[in-house]
Amino acid sequence: MESADRMLHPSLRAFWPLFYVAWADGDLTGAEIRVIRSVLERRSDLDPQALEVAAAWLDPESPPTASLLLRLREEMVHAATDMPANERRSLASLGGRMAEVAALDADGTAVHRDAVALAVREIMDALGVDEAEVAAAALQEARPTAAAPATAPATVDVAGLRAFLDGEDAAALDRIRGLLDDGVLTRQPGLHTAAYREQVLEWLQLLADRGLGGLAWPTVAGDDADAGAFMATFEGLAAFDMSLVVKYGVQFGLFGGAIFFLGRERHHRELLPRVASLELPGCFAMSEFGHGSNVRDLETTATWDPDRGVFVLHTPSPSARKEWIGNAACHGRMAVVFAQLVVRGHRHGVHALLVPIRGEDGQPCPGVSIRDCGEKMGLHGVDNGRLWFDHVDVPRENLLNRFADVTPDGDYISTIPGAGKRFFTTIGTLVGGRISVARAGLMAARTGLAIAIRYGEQRRQFGAPGEPEMPILDYRMHQRRLMPLLARTVALVHASRTVTRQYIESDESTGRQELEAMAAGLKAMATAHTRETLFTCRECCGGQGYLAENRLADLIADTEVFTTFEGDNTVLWQLVARSRLSDWQRTFQGFDAFGLLRHFAERAGASLASMRPTLAQKNDGETLRDPELALTLLRHREQSLLASVARRMKSRIDDGMEPFHALNDCQDHLVAAGEAWMERLVAERFAEAVAAAGDATVRDTLTSVQALFGLHAVEQRAGWLLENGFIDGARARAVRTEVNTLCAEVRAIAPGIVDAFALPAVALDAPIACSNFIARAGGEG
């Protein structure tokens, strides 16, 4: 590179900004050099010496020095000092000022500026950069410090929306909110595992002292017993601490619930008050190391000893040890143990017995071995343990005998003659637990979304040249990531309320197969959604989301196991699908093989025929937002998947395949069918609730949320819907466009929606969820 004085040739002043921009961000390519050189050589006002200097500027073997580029920038900044802001954003205007063309007459100025502008644009196109952006970068102008206006918030009736979301559980949820806001329960960050477990036990005692342990049991709560209030308490506590939630659920939901549902009045009277007060800490010992979700094939045995009139409880192999038993490692003194009942050499299936596991001194009872499961990914305040039984005597009276008993003479009797029905009745205690886990997961999802949305409103990043940085929640992809999750959360919260009501109002006489399928589907759908939501919220908060103080890390770690406890989600989806297939089997009991196949073919054809009118509809916003369009597509998908998996399984069984192997061969199809049924059910009930919402403002808010939930579900299933002819390419593209529009709409009401979640302050005890968190952080030091 030649001397600076020679390089700063006055005839090239108009192009100094271009030279600076061309070299400031990296090396020029050969193609870029040829384009710039061609443009300059066509300039009639450049003499040979100027062109020679220009060639030196474009020599890749001798790029300009840093000091020369710095001098260029100083000249540019000086020239731009008095220029209006809009002209400083144009390299053409900046070049014109550099050439001091303002001294020319009006006509000369206009011609020269136009020529420079054309030359600059041609070169900018060749370099592939934005003229305004590089001008701002070249001048190194600071962005305006004034905050860019965020998306204008839309009106949300927070109180009305809160009432819709809380439903009939409002009073119970408000009770827990008040408890948490009053500081009755307070966190102590940084506790080691042993201290944390003791802290959780203290919290549990505080809840028991306030009567929150026996909420669901008439023996304790009298006429005020309310299973819904218990589930609402479980949900509300999830805004505070998940270890407490799980411990609360183990003690009062699983241990106490098993006594309530499987025991008789004597068990209720003698034990439930002690369970409710936490005088008798207990466990629910169902899962085994080698069997997990396969409860029917548990190995632990309870064998009737007719000579002594006791059951002998035994762990016959290493795979039979009781695993992941909450409350077992430290605090539990009695366990409801599920074991194979053996009487006179005959197995009668899985039954539940009350078994003391610790004495008053905290030491294991004779024949009982207890081990800690060890450190976990999360839920460090829950003392999960393992149990082994070595020929432990259990009194006959300790059998929870509501549905089956063994007489003093050793006769097995049961009010339910069928072994299969008796088994499912025995494990029916899990139904309420699955609904509760779904509700706790959804509380965690709401907490994560509230943190991420509040952070996204305040955190600013990038922006148009010369303008303030923009809130990240105003970026389409940020909206795309969070708003569908927000809509799905609202829909699932409503679904959890309706399934809870159905559970409370059901009894054995009404049949509970569909309810059990709904509880399983809700748990699987809600906990998978919670997992996706929390991980996405963490990512949307960047490095701040990774900090422990901002709660997302703990929420992720504590809820990760929700997808596998109270039933592994993949197993639950198969349970849902098999329940639906049982309905099909009852419906088509009289069909022969040909008639069944003909029905499937006719049904598939009818589904496609019924879709043709909707395919012919316009793809405008009004049509796409009609709830019936998404519901119709989800219904057809559900029916088609169920019919096709039934057809596939029947074909395999007819060919001689064992039913178990036929199920396994179609397992992925079964899971998809189960998911489709639950997704349709959630969408259908949410649409009905939105349509019935009495307050117009609340209904308007929910209409946008419901439309986003439905259309995003369609978008997620677009591949299958296209493959099976239920939508065409034009509709798929229109749905994608409308989802973008709805994400922007819901973004405007998102702050109001998370306010309507009515999360207690302790749930939002994350610096990034506070207003002006950036200014507050800046004041620390």
Side-chain angles (χ1 to χ4, degrees):
M1 179 61 67
E2 303 187 35
S3 68
D5 290 339
R6 175 172 166 76
M7 293 300 293
L8 298 177
H9 194 286
S11 298
L12 295 173
R13 287 178 63 86
F15 296 95
W16 286 2
L18 282 175
F19 294 148
Y20 177 85
V21 168
W23 286 108
D25 292 331
D27 295 335
L28 289 171
T29 67
E32 292 170 341
I33 290 171
R34 286 193 292 273
V35 170
I36 298 173
R37 183 176 292 162
S38 173
V39 172
L40 294 177
E41 287 174 350
R42 294 200 304 269
R43 298 283 302 170
S44 59
D45 57 339
L46 296 180
D47 57 35
Q49 185 183 20
L51 291 174
E52 183 181 338
V53 173
W57 273 105
L58 302 175
D59 182 1
E61 300 299 326
S62 182
T65 63
S67 60
L68 181 56
L69 289 177
L70 178 60
R71 183 168 172 186
L72 271 190
R73 198 184 73 80
E74 290 172 347
E75 293 283 349
M76 291 157 51
V77 171
H78 176 73
T81 301
D82 298 325
M83 292 178 68
N86 63 319
E87 290 189 18
R88 285 201 303 272
R89 296 176 192 170
S90 165
L91 283 186
S93 298
L94 186 56
R97 178 59 64 93
M98 296 288 289
E100 298 179 344
V101 295
L104 302 177
D105 59 39
D107 292 338
T109 299
V111 172
H112 193 78
R113 285 183 184 276
D114 289 346
V116 169
L118 288 172
V120 166
R121 291 192 185 99
E122 186 175 351
I123 293 173
M124 288 295 99
D125 289 342
L127 297 179
V129 293
D130 179 80
E131 184 182 353
E133 184 176 336
V134 297
L139 295 175
Q140 295 186 9
E141 292 183 328
R143 291 185 182 276
T145 56
T151 297
T155 301
V156 174
D157 179 356
V158 173
L161 185 57
R162 172 178 172 174
F164 174 89
L165 292 170
D166 287 355
E168 295 182 40
D169 294 325
L173 288 170
D174 282 344
R175 179 177 183 178
I176 295 302
R177 287 170 181 139
L179 194 71
L180 296 177
D181 283 336
D182 288 345
V184 173
L185 305 176
T186 56
R187 290 197 197 95
Q188 297 182 45
L191 293 176
H192 58 78
T193 298
Y196 188 11
R197 288 174 172 180
E198 295 307 311
Q199 174 67 85
V200 172
L201 182 64
E202 289 178 17
W203 289 336
L204 194 66
Q205 187 65 64
L206 288 171
L207 297 177
D209 293 345
R210 283 164 174 75
L212 297 178
L215 287 173
W217 310 324
T219 307
V220 177
D223 293 339
D224 294 329
D226 184 354
F230 174 82
M231 291 182 176
T233 301
F234 190 90
E235 172 187 325
L237 290 172
F240 173 64
D241 187 278
M242 283 295 174
S243 288
L244 176 59
V245 170
V246 172
K247 190 116 173 158
Y248 179 87
V250 168
Q251 174 69 16
F252 306 124
L254 292 177
F255 177 57
I259 296 170
F260 178 72
F261 286 109
L262 301 179
R264 290 185 178 273
E265 177 60 32
R266 172 175 54 82
H267 300 115
H268 297 176
R269 185 179 61 256
E270 294 177 3
L271 297 176
L272 286 181
R274 297 173 61 205
V275 174
S277 67
L278 203 55
E279 177 190 345
L280 179 62
C283 312
F284 185 83
M286 177 179 280
S287 295
E288 291 183 357
F289 178 61
H291 303 283
S293 298
N294 184 13
V295 179
R296 190 193 292 269
D297 290 329
L298 296 178
E299 290 183 72
T300 302
T301 56
T303 304
W304 173 250
D305 182 339
D307 296 330
R308 296 184 298 134
V310 297
F311 298 103
V312 180
L313 188 69
H314 185 58
T315 302
S317 72
S319 62
R321 78 185 188 211
K322 294 298 181 180
E323 186 81 358
W324 289 112
I325 309 306
N327 251 8
C330 298
H331 303 132
R333 296 214 311 271
M334 179 176 281
V336 173
V337 179
F338 289 80
Q340 301 286 352
L341 190 68
V342 183
V343 181
R344 295 177 179 172
H346 295 288
R347 287 190 172 228
H348 295 279
V350 175
H351 290 63
L353 302 94
L354 291 164
V355 183
I357 62 171
R358 274 191 184 85
E360 293 290 339
D361 61 358
Q363 296 302 307
C365 293
V368 178
S369 296
I370 304 174
R371 298 289 185 275
D372 197 315
C373 285
E375 290 293 336
K376 308 183 293 287
M377 178 178 174
L379 297 175
H380 301 296
V382 180
D383 54 319
N384 295 99
R386 297 165 178 154
L387 298 173
W388 292 261
F389 304 97
D390 185 6
H391 298 92
V392 175
D393 290 347
V394 180
R396 185 183 70 86
E397 294 78 14
N398 283 26
L399 177 69
L400 293 176
N401 59 346
R402 179 181 177 187
F403 302 110
D405 203 355
V406 175
T407 69
D409 294 331
D411 294 323
Y412 178 82
I413 57 176
S414 176
T415 56
I416 305 173
K421 184 176 181 181
R422 188 164 60 245
F423 168 73
F424 284 109
T425 302
T426 298
I427 66 170
T429 51
L430 295 174
V431 173
R434 286 169 180 162
I435 297 171
S436 297
V437 169
R439 292 178 60 161
L442 291 171
M443 177 60 78
R446 277 172 280 174
T447 302
L449 284 165
I451 292 170
I453 286 170
R454 291 184 176 188
Y455 174 79
E457 278 206 295
Q458 298 184 70
R459 179 69 165 88
R460 298 172 186 275
Q461 190 90 14
F462 308 114
E467 295 181 4
E469 291 182 297
M470 192 163 77
I472 59 175
L473 200 56
D474 286 341
Y475 283 96
R476 170 159 288 170
M477 277 309 301
H478 212 76
Q479 295 172 6
R480 266 283 188 169
R481 297 170 78 185
L482 289 176
M483 296 306 113
L485 294 175
L486 180 63
R488 194 173 181 86
T489 298
V490 172
L492 281 167
V493 167
H494 178 264
S496 73
R497 304 278 183 256
T498 62
V499 175
T500 297
R501 287 299 118 194
Q502 193 163 336
Y503 169 75
I504 291 169
E505 294 165 5
S506 68
D507 56 43
E508 286 80 5
S509 65
T510 61
R512 300 181 69 166
Q513 184 174 5
E514 184 179 55
L515 173 62
E516 289 170 2
M518 282 193 292
L522 177 68
K523 186 266 178 184
M525 187 174 179
T527 55
H529 168 76
T530 295
R531 185 187 198 197
E532 179 188 3
T533 299
L534 291 175
F535 272 97
T536 302
C537 288
R538 206 295 299 158
E539 292 175 1
C540 285
C541 293
Q544 296 299 321
Y546 195 64
L547 289 174
E549 68 178 3
N550 286 320
R551 297 215 63 209
L552 294 169
D554 282 346
L555 288 171
I556 289 170
D558 287 346
T559 59
E560 177 67 16
V561 74
F562 282 21
T563 59
T564 50
F565 81 3
E566 294 285 350
D568 177 276
N569 282 1
T570 301
V571 175
L572 293 182
W573 283 130
Q574 293 171 77
L575 184 155
V576 171
R578 292 176 70 173
S579 171
R580 298 301 88 212
L581 286 171
S582 295
D583 286 349
W584 277 74
Q585 188 176 23
R586 287 190 292 272
T587 301
F588 301 115
Q589 208 163 23
F591 279 49
D592 59 16
F594 177 76
L596 192 59
L597 289 173
R598 183 177 60 190
H599 171 82
F600 287 144
E602 289 174 351
R603 185 161 190 154
S607 290
L608 283 171
S610 67
M611 285 305 300
R612 288 191 186 108
T614 63
L615 283 169
Q617 291 175 337
K618 295 178 180 179
N619 284 325
D620 60 339
E622 182 179 358
T623 301
L624 295 173
R625 291 178 184 224
D626 185 344
E628 199 55 38
L629 184 138
L631 285 172
T632 299
L633 290 169
L634 294 178
R635 288 179 189 127
H636 283 304
R637 181 171 184 271
E638 172 204 351
Q639 293 164 5
S640 178
L641 283 169
L642 196 58
S644 57
V645 75
R647 184 170 63 248
R648 286 181 65 196
M649 289 178 57
K650 187 177 189 307
S651 172
R652 284 156 175 73
I653 293 170
D654 288 348
D655 287 343
M657 185 180 285
E658 286 290 330
F660 173 83
H661 295 302
L663 277 168
N664 184 51
D665 203 40
C666 301
Q667 195 173 48
D668 58 333
H669 202 151
L670 278 168
V671 169
E675 290 174 340
W677 178 75
M678 193 66 202
E679 186 170 55
R680 185 272 304 166
L681 188 67
V682 171
E684 204 166 61
R685 293 196 173 184
F686 188 38
E688 291 169 357
V690 172
D695 184 271
T697 305
V698 172
R699 190 167 58 251
D700 288 346
T701 297
L702 290 169
T703 296
S704 295
V705 174
Q706 187 272 329
L708 178 55
F709 169 65
L711 279 187
H712 187 257
V714 170
E715 183 184 39
Q716 287 183 307
R717 312 301 181 191
W720 187 94
L721 294 167
L722 282 162
E723 179 184 342
N724 289 274
F726 290 110
I727 63 173
D728 56 18
R731 172 139 295 174
R733 290 188 294 274
V735 166
R736 186 166 58 245
T737 299
E738 195 62 26
V739 167
N740 281 339
T741 302
L742 283 164
C743 281
E745 283 185 20
V746 174
R747 181 267 177 267
I749 57 178
I753 294 174
V754 298
D755 285 348
F757 290 163
L759 297 169
V762 70
L764 299 174
D765 185 20
I768 59 172
C770 301
S771 60
N772 299 319
F773 81 91
I774 294 176
R776 293 186 185 190
E780 297 176 0

